Amino acid sequence: MASKVFRPRLNLSHVTFQGNNNHAQSHSFGQVFLHKKTGVSSSRRSIVAAEAAALMAEETTPKTGNSALSHFWREVQGSNNWENLVEPLHPLLRKEIIRYGEFVAACYKAFDLDPTSKRYLHCKYGKSRMLNEVGMEDCGYTVTKYIYATPDINIPMQNEASRGHWIGYVAVSSDESAVKRLGRRDLLIAFRGTVTNHEWVTNLMSSLTPARLDPNNPNPDVKVESGFLSLYTSDETKSKFGLESCREQLLSEVSRLLNKHKVEDLSITLAGHSMGSALALLLAYDIAELGLNKTDHETVPITAFSFGGPRVGNPSFKQRCEELGVKVMRIVNVNDPITKLPGMFLNENFRVLGGRYELPWISCSCYAHVGVELVMDFFNVQNPSCVHDLETYISLLKCPTKTLHTRKEGFDNLLNRARELIFGARSLKSICL
């Protein structure tokens, strides 16, 4: 069944920073882990660097058969639900996850948070040079549109405008050498996570509401979190020169690019961190539900790479995404609380009582994750905010490890980890959702 296909879990690295504690336990419940030791010595760093260099060499070396990305891209984008690519993690898939993570990181690097700046809460740079300014001049993509979102929250916030904020960008692989290497023309949409106060309040609107994005097929059983939906659909059209909704901006640009490149092999890739991954999943579902990805000669594959993402909708939303062929790769840290929200208690794990009785009322009111899950395990008691930090996710993905371990967490160990999280929270300054 499709639901089983979307459940494989692989832990990419187990990193626990806890002083001299060499017996730190993982938070796994029998998942597969790739273990990375802490307290790394200079010799160990050299080994890790050598492994990374070997991996990069392997990825850039011409391969036989269908291993090169240009011949293998559909599988890497999830055409077979990443079967046999996560255990162990295929080097090409690892590289693509890192690459898309860096496109998301560019959103944070380019976002202007200086209240004295004329570009406050907007991108610091123009579209033509944004990727260059954040160190991605050789990525082979061109930014075609900036995306703004308007939280539908009418509360006063000190030093923060209530108008639309820059939330991400649309780009397309434009360099012909990049297109050849990728094996297709890639349409990319990248979203940052929560930064502003209005966005934080929007995230707290944890209630399910019917999505109703397709007027010809309302499907009231498909429900999503109201705050994310509001951020996706709210606009400023009542104001003179006001912005269209995030949704209208995105659908218009995606449609334009699909029409422009319709005779080519195409892919639609969405990438986001935290709240941004929720917007990525809503857009992926929206495009597929409306059938915008259907051209004259093919159905363009839609893939979302989610970094530290929360749940977005109910089980019917999950099922509909699967029916529409939306592929989602969720990269999560087991210690990241955001990945357990909303629906910390009412979620996909509580739909069946005793493994025998379906509970329809829970199915309608609970949340469910969508997609294949790659699990990381890292924690720093001195800096708990790292559990949700995108740069930490990316940095650990860049460090290849080879040893597989299977671990089970006992109840006492869960209590120890909970105690660490509680006391560590005293030094938690911020976690960007």
Side-chain angles (χ1 to χ4, degrees):
M1 295 178 61
S3 59
K4 293 183 179 179
V5 174
F6 280 78
R7 296 302 296 275
R9 292 178 140 201
L10 172 67
N11 188 300
L12 299 177
S13 70
H14 172 65
V15 185
T16 309
F17 306 96
Q18 301 184 57
N20 296 321
N21 182 2
N22 296 323
H23 302 286
Q25 300 293 325
S26 63
H27 187 115
S28 64
F29 295 100
Q31 300 169 55
V32 178
F33 287 75
L34 285 171
H35 186 67
K36 180 180 183 299
K37 295 181 179 179
T38 56
V40 182
S41 65
S42 59
S43 60
R44 175 59 184 158
R45 291 192 192 99
S46 298
I47 293 172
V48 171
E51 289 178 348
L55 178 62
M56 295 304 291
E58 178 186 354
E59 292 169 345
T60 56
T61 300
K63 298 173 181 281
T64 59
N66 287 333
S67 296
L69 182 60
S70 60
H71 299 290
F72 195 51
W73 69 267
R74 293 184 184 275
E75 289 80 2
V76 171
Q77 292 288 108
S79 63
N80 295 325
N81 300 316
W82 294 283
E83 185 176 355
N84 299 323
L85 295 182
V86 294
E87 298 182 21
L89 184 62
H90 193 285
L92 286 175
L93 176 56
R94 182 197 294 268
K95 187 176 181 180
E96 287 298 277
I97 292 172
I98 293 169
R99 188 170 70 89
Y100 286 117
E102 289 175 337
F103 277 117
V104 177
C107 294
Y108 290 108
K109 295 175 182 177
F111 192 48
D112 195 338
L113 282 171
D114 180 4
T116 65
S117 171
K118 293 181 179 180
R119 293 180 176 269
Y120 179 50
L121 300 181
H122 289 67
C123 184
K124 299 176 185 177
Y125 318 108
K127 294 192 294 292
S128 62
R129 62 190 186 96
M130 190 272 280
L131 292 173
N132 289 352
E133 292 289 346
V134 299
M136 299 185 69
E137 59 274 4
D138 298 323
C139 67
Y141 284 69
T142 297
V143 175
T144 66
K145 190 176 183 64
Y146 282 166
I147 304 301
Y148 299 84
T150 305
D152 188 20
I153 303 293
N154 295 317
I155 57 174
M157 291 289 184
Q158 185 177 7
N159 297 326
E160 184 176 309
S162 59
R163 52 187 170 80
H165 305 151
W166 186 68
I167 198 78
Y169 60 94
V170 180
V172 62
S173 54
S174 53
D175 183 88
E176 291 308 313
S177 62
V179 172
K180 184 176 180 180
R181 181 183 64 82
L182 296 173
R184 84 282 188 188
R185 184 82 61 181
D186 187 35
L187 278 57
L188 166 70
I189 303 95
F191 299 92
R192 64 169 175 81
T194 300
V195 175
T196 71
N197 291 327
H198 283 89
E199 292 162 1
W200 272 110
V201 175
T202 297
N203 292 329
L204 298 177
M205 296 169 61
S206 183
S207 60
L208 286 165
T209 187
R212 301 184 188 276
L213 295 178
D214 182 359
N216 298 318
N217 183 23
N219 202 344
D221 293 334
V222 175
K223 297 181 179 181
V224 296
E225 200 264 356
S226 59
F228 298 144
L229 184 64
S230 172
L231 190 64
Y232 183 60
T233 59
S234 296
D235 59 39
E236 298 176 356
T237 53
K238 292 181 180 179
S239 304
K240 188 176 182 180
F241 308 117
L243 288 169
E244 294 179 316
S245 69
C246 173
R247 181 196 186 204
E248 291 170 315
Q249 298 168 55
L250 286 164
L251 294 182
S252 174
E253 183 65 3
V254 168
S255 297
R256 184 186 74 83
L257 291 172
L258 287 173
N259 185 62
K260 178 180 179 179
H261 300 287
K262 61 184 177 182
V263 298
E264 304 177 59
D265 285 333
L266 296 169
S267 64
I268 300 172
T269 308
L270 308 99
H273 173 238
S274 197
M275 176 196 73
S277 69
L279 293 175
L281 184 51
L282 282 175
L283 175 60
Y285 162 72
D286 200 4
I287 293 172
E289 189 69 271
L290 295 175
L292 298 182
N293 61 321
K294 298 183 185 298
T295 67
D296 293 338
H297 69 284
E298 71 166 345
T299 297
V300 179
I302 302 173
T303 306
F305 289 94
S306 163
F307 296 85
R311 295 183 179 92
V312 176
N314 67 350
S316 294
F317 174 73
K318 166 188 168 67
Q319 180 181 350
R320 186 59 181 154
C321 286
E322 295 174 0
E323 292 171 351
L324 292 169
V326 173
K327 306 300 181 182
V328 182
M329 171 65 72
R330 297 182 54 251
I331 302 93
V332 303
N333 172 17
V334 292
N335 302 302
D336 184 348
I338 302 305
T339 64
K340 299 171 177 60
L341 300 172
M344 178 174 287
F345 300 106
L346 289 180
N347 55 56
E348 63 273 7
N349 298 316
F350 291 84
R351 290 184 60 203
V352 178
L353 180 63
R356 295 178 60 189
Y357 301 104
E358 188 78 12
L359 301 178
W361 64 273
I362 290 184
S363 179
C364 293
S365 60
C366 77
Y367 288 85
H369 275 306
V370 180
V372 173
E373 188 174 66
L374 266 66
V375 183
M376 306 176 72
D377 188 353
F378 55 90
F379 179 76
N380 186 338
V381 71
Q382 280 77 38
N383 180 26
S385 64
C386 81
V387 299
H388 191 61
D389 180 63
L390 177 61
E391 291 291 348
T392 305
Y393 273 92
I394 295 172
S395 297
L396 293 177
L397 281 163
K398 289 181 177 179
C399 295
T401 55
K402 297 180 179 179
T403 307
L404 284 170
H405 291 274
T406 301
R407 297 171 182 263
K408 289 190 176 181
E409 182 90 53
F411 183 72
D412 291 340
N413 294 327
L414 279 176
L415 290 178
N416 291 335
R417 178 57 61 89
R419 188 181 301 112
E420 292 166 357
L421 286 168
I422 292 170
F423 286 104
R426 294 175 179 175
S427 62
L428 179 61
K429 300 298 183 184
S430 66
I431 294 180
C432 291
L433 179 63

